[in-house]
Amino acid sequence: MDYKAAFHNAVAQVRDEGRYRVFADLKRHSGDFPRATWTRDDGSECEIIVWCSNDYLGQGQNPVVADAMHAAIDANGTGSGGTRNISGTTHFHVELERELADLHGKESALLFTSGYVSNEATLSTLYKILPGLIIFSDELNHASMISGIRSGGGQRRIFRHNDLAHLEQLLAEADPEAPKLVAFESVYSMDGDISDIRGTVALAKKYGALTYIDEVHAVGLYGQRGGGVSERDDIASEIDIIEATLGKAIGCMGGYIAADAVIIDAIRSYASGFIFTTSLPPALTAGALASVRWLKEHNEVREQHQERAATLKAMMKAAGLPVMESSVSHIVPVMVGDAVHCKMVSDMLLEDHGIYVQPINFPTVPRGTERLRFTPTPFHTDAMMRDLVKALENLWARCNIARVGGYAA
């Protein structure tokens, strides 16, 4: 077999479909978020505004967080030294897990190296602990959740997105004696919609199922203390397992679950993705700890964040730009509907206007629903928003993309 040709063909197929991804070489400006410097392929540089960061609150540049990370390096060095079982548990891990459990009103929490790993490891491990488990999964759940469910090897049922009637149908059809778990997200990051958490939990309880919610795009951003949509809606106490990340609104890196102590202890004891992975280093756990504590006390930054998102949506809609109507969250997705056009607009925004937003193409979203996904922060000013909307208006006409209700032509 010509192995190299197989790899060349695989990449060529992605290119031909217009969804080949190019990484932007960026240097963020500490203390001047969301500004950054983009280095082109020829080595030249350009000052840009970042419009697609998941560092939703700019916590990655909060001096409180940075100071905590510097102090941890000075006191403890860099690496963690091993897995949690072999010298890799520091006092920062212990403190952070306690802080995260408190954030969600749970007895305990468990850290992982990323949100992807926490989903994959936990969901796959639940099949080991609960023989015969059936997991009911929303069809738009994140790839990490899908991967964990598949690798678990047990039964699964997929319900239509946010369709509680379909979920109930599947629950009613299942063996009433089988252990069950409903896995879903709070904020769906590509459409910007929010699930009916209370309704989902009620259905799960009706059919004797556990609940597992991914709050990755909500933790830090919703609720009086930043516990997510489940805190905002006063339903967290009724959810069995809450999963989230330290890599988005918290501004660091890592993932975690929060639940009853016995659930955490079982996952800790059985999950390969936890047991055999080097733990997060002291700087990251110390920074995340400082960030979580700071966010618990500063609800005003969440209010500013919501105002900024609402303002950008209003500006875009006033200009006739196709903001997806599904978005009721802080995420502002603008429909393009074609991979080539989406990449084209993204490239032009960066090269001609100093605006950085990545195209969202298949497999992240279904073919034909390609979009630009904007994530305004408390640090994006009205002037930045006006410049963005003006640039989009020009490119929508230049690239022959339909406005409200339309797709690329």
Side-chain angles (χ1 to χ4, degrees), residues 246-366:
L246 306 173
K248 294 182 171 57
I250 307 301
C252 292
M253 179 183 175
Y256 67 90
I257 57 172
D260 289 346
V262 67
I263 294 176
I264 296 299
D265 202 21
I267 299 297
R268 179 185 69 87
S269 301
Y270 282 85
S272 295
F274 172 82
I275 295 170
F276 299 104
T277 301
T278 300
S279 67
L280 293 168
L284 285 175
T285 47
L289 177 62
S291 183
V292 171
R293 286 175 172 169
W294 189 91
L295 286 171
K296 284 180 177 179
E297 302 297 326
H298 290 83
N299 190 50
E300 75 280 357
V301 74
R302 283 180 282 280
E303 293 175 347
Q304 293 165 8
H305 183 232
Q306 290 294 320
E307 181 277 324
R308 291 286 78 195
T311 297
L312 181 61
K313 286 179 185 177
M315 286 186 180
M316 287 183 166
K317 289 179 179 179
L321 296 167
V323 176
M324 292 177 62
E325 292 298 326
S326 60
S327 180
V328 293
S329 68
H330 58 282
I331 293 165
V332 186
V334 176
M335 180 62 72
V336 178
D338 176 84
V340 173
H341 281 76
C342 200
K343 178 73 164 58
M344 182 190 308
V345 171
S346 172
D347 289 345
M348 289 179 176
L349 284 170
L350 184 59
E351 185 67 52
D352 301 337
H353 301 277
I355 291 169
Y356 175 60
V357 58
Q358 276 286 58
I360 306 297
N361 294 331
F362 179 84
T364 307
V365 295

Side-chain angles (χ1 to χ4, degrees), residues 221-237:
L221 303 174
Y222 296 85
Q224 186 65 31
R225 299 195 309 158
V229 180
S230 58
E231 183 202 0
R232 184 198 71 177
D233 294 352
D234 194 26
I235 192 68
S237 63

Side-chain angles (χ1 to χ4, degrees), residues 108 122 131 139 152 184 206 217 228 242 245 269 291 301 398:
S108 191
T122 303
E139 66 177 340
F184 63 112
K206 178 179 177 180
H217 290 275
I242 297 175
T245 183
S269 301
S291 183
V301 74
R398 180 177 173 184

Side-chain angles (χ1 to χ4, degrees), residues 34 42 70-71 85 209 247 337 350 394 398-399:
D42 62 6
H70 284 297
N85 293 315
L350 184 59
N394 291 336
R398 180 177 173 184
C399 298

Side-chain angles (χ1 to χ4, degrees), residues 5-17:
F7 289 108
H8 281 300
N9 291 338
V11 174
Q13 179 179 341
V14 175
R15 288 185 183 275
D16 291 344
E17 293 173 359

